[in-house]
Amino acid sequence: QVQLVESGGGLVQPGGSLRLSCAASGSIFSINNMGWYRQAPGKQRELVAAITSGGSTNYADSAKGRFTISRDNAKNTVYLQMNSLKPGDTAVYYCNARLGYSDYEGDYSNLEVWGQGTLVTVSS
């Protein structure tokens, strides 16, 4: 069973910082793109940041200059460092990855996997 497990969410005051982690586990033989999405109540899920296997990054305009995405391939982990947090950042944050994965049924070269989400609340 392949899964993504997020951690690091919580309650923080405006201007504070959090670092989210997402670790992939299972019979993984490659990790392609990884990214962070978020969804606030009543809104669509949106891309926050993404990173390719080669290390290229993309950010939503709202995240530029405040958030940094990185990955540790040896640990199959992606991080999102969030600084200068605002109340508008409050949302459930989801990790997403495209993985090369194998199980008893076969091999998958580009399997999309989602984490279950971690809640970030920015409030005084």
Side-chain angles (χ1 to χ4, degrees):
Q1 180 71 36
V2 63
Q3 63 178 2
L4 303 177
V5 179
E6 301 113 328
S7 63
L11 175 65
V12 65
Q13 293 186 342
S17 298
L18 287 173
R19 190 178 81 154
L20 306 183
S21 299
C22 173
S25 63
S27 299
I28 300 167
F29 55 82
S30 67
I31 302 179
N32 303 314
N33 290 359
M34 303 187 77
W36 288 95
Y37 293 72
R38 68 185 182 189
Q39 187 168 23
K43 297 184 178 180
Q44 293 184 329
R45 187 173 298 186
E46 63 176 350
L47 176 68
V48 179
I51 186 167
T52 69
S53 60
S56 297
T57 59
N58 287 296
Y59 297 93
D61 288 341
S62 61
K64 291 179 180 177
R66 300 189 298 127
F67 295 1
T68 302
I69 188 170
S70 62
R71 62 191 290 168
D72 185 337
N73 291 332
K75 297 181 179 180
N76 290 339
T77 300
V78 63
Y79 305 94
L80 184 67
Q81 178 67 46
M82 303 187 294
N83 299 325
S84 301
L85 284 162
K86 305 173 181 179
D89 296 319
T90 296
V92 177
Y93 285 70
Y94 297 91
C95 181
N96 174 268
R98 292 277 188 169
L99 308 175
Y101 172 74
S102 63
D103 61 18
Y104 72 96
E105 294 184 342
D107 296 340
Y108 306 89
S109 63
N110 200 35
L111 179 69
E112 185 177 40
V113 184
W114 288 91
Q116 293 186 331
T118 184
L119 177 63
V120 172
T121 302
V122 185
S123 176
S124 298

